[in-house]
Amino acid sequence: AQKVTQAQTEISVVEKEDVTLDCVYETRDTTYYLFWYKQPPSGELVFLIRRNSFDEQNEISGRYSWNFQKSTSSFNFTITASQVVDSAVYFCALSEDERGGADGLTFGKGTHLIIQP
Amino acid sequence: EPEVTQTPSHQVTQMGQEVILRCVPISNHLYFYWYRQILGQKVEFLVSFYNNEISEKSEIFDDQFSVERPDGSNFTLKIRSTKLEDSAMYFCAKGTVQETQYFGPGTRLLVL
């Protein structure tokens, strides 16, 4: 069975600090996909990134970067120079490819990120 | 322009009543999904729908729930007899895991 663990329930930092959100996953499949979503106070789920299990290259998008390490089953998310607008709940999610997408995503419990001005 | 729209944005109902939540994907797609998020908790998969049939469903998706695509565009989730614990945000999503799953804005359901 697949599982996603986000051990950090809540993180509070001061604006302009860097912050890393941890995500550890479990799966028996060799082909799988990892996602990060942002849920601002308005409630919608905003897609941030998708990564497949064969692509371990780290990715950077502006102030956001992701570190995928299969050896530790982790897919961590770093925000550099945080801003108040980054305040949200961030979810890590996993899907196995075995059924071609039928199983949907398994989400972690989320990390509530608070950026203080 | 959003990939997926959902109606209504909010719904309040009495326990035991039937509710129908609607999802309109902007463009046609292979897979459609419903997810649920109880307030303050994680997002949970309910059901996937492929080629006008249920493809997979979770243990949450019991006989009280049903999905259909009645007119080839709208995608609906019906809860036959709502319970207090059905109060949650319900998200529709489209896509596949080989691509990206885009979520609608959600319907906030409150059962009194």
Side-chain angles (χ1 to χ4, degrees):
Chain A
Q2 52 190 0
K3 184 179 176 182
V4 176
T5 301
Q6 294 180 257
Q8 303 151 310
T9 304
E10 183 174 291
I11 299 175
S12 181
V13 300
V14 177
E15 197 172 21
K16 297 183 183 177
E17 288 186 15
D18 298 348
V19 58
T20 295
L21 309 182
D22 297 334
C23 174
V24 175
Y25 62 91
E26 294 177 28
T27 178
R28 292 173 296 187
D29 268 15
T30 55
T31 302
Y32 53 88
Y33 301 85
L34 295 163
F35 300 76
W36 276 95
Y37 286 86
K38 174 182 179 180
Q39 186 173 46
S42 52
E44 72 269 27
L45 287 167
V46 179
F47 167 78
L48 295 178
I49 191 171
R50 168 189 161 276
R51 174 67 85 222
N52 73 55
S53 53
F54 297 109
D55 183 3
E56 284 193 77
Q57 265 197 325
N58 291 330
E59 180 153 340
I60 298 174
S61 176
R63 296 183 296 106
Y64 294 172
S65 62
W66 290 270
N67 184 351
F68 176 28
Q69 291 198 348
K70 288 178 75 170
S71 60
T72 55
S73 296
S74 64
F75 187 43
N76 297 337
F77 173 31
T78 297
I79 301 175
T80 304
S82 59
Q83 300 176 1
V84 172
V85 293
D86 295 326
S87 297
V89 180
Y90 291 86
F91 290 97
C92 180
L94 163 74
S95 186
E96 296 168 340
D97 191 41
E98 182 179 332
R99 290 173 52 79
D103 292 337
L105 302 179
T106 296
F107 282 80
K109 291 184 177 181
T111 296
H112 184 197
L113 178 62
I114 301 169
I115 310 297
Q116 299 179 17
Chain B
E1 184 177 355
E3 295 278 344
V4 180
T5 62
Q6 291 185 242
T7 58
S9 58
H10 295 78
Q11 180 150 2
V12 181
T13 189
Q14 296 290 324
M15 190 169 58
Q17 294 295 305
E18 174 184 285
V19 296
I20 297 176
L21 311 181
R22 290 183 172 79
C23 169
V24 182
I26 299 301
S27 60
N28 216 351
H29 228 277
L30 289 176
Y31 273 102
F32 301 95
Y33 307 83
W34 282 102
Y35 292 83
R36 176 183 83 176
Q37 184 183 28
I38 295 172
L39 184 64
Q41 298 187 23
K42 67 178 180 179
V43 180
E44 300 174 293
F45 167 73
L46 291 177
V47 65
S48 60
F49 196 77
Y50 171 74
N51 207 22
N52 293 325
E53 292 183 347
I54 288 178
S55 182
E56 188 65 40
K57 57 185 180 180
S58 71
E59 57 190 23
I60 302 171
F61 194 87
D62 59 22
D63 291 343
Q64 294 281 29
F65 293 92
S66 63
V67 291
E68 62 178 10
R69 204 173 180 205
D71 56 9
S73 58
N74 290 316
F75 178 48
T76 63
L77 174 69
K78 182 191 291 185
I79 309 175
R80 290 190 180 82
S81 178
T82 50
K83 298 173 281 192
L84 295 177
E85 53 265 39
D86 293 327
S87 294
M89 180 78 97
Y90 289 83
F91 291 102
C92 171
K94 71 162 200 176
T96 67
V97 290
Q98 289 85 2
E99 303 170 356
T100 297
Q101 286 199 20
Y102 290 101
F103 285 76
T107 293
R108 190 173 297 280
L109 175 66
L110 178 60
V111 181
L112 301 177

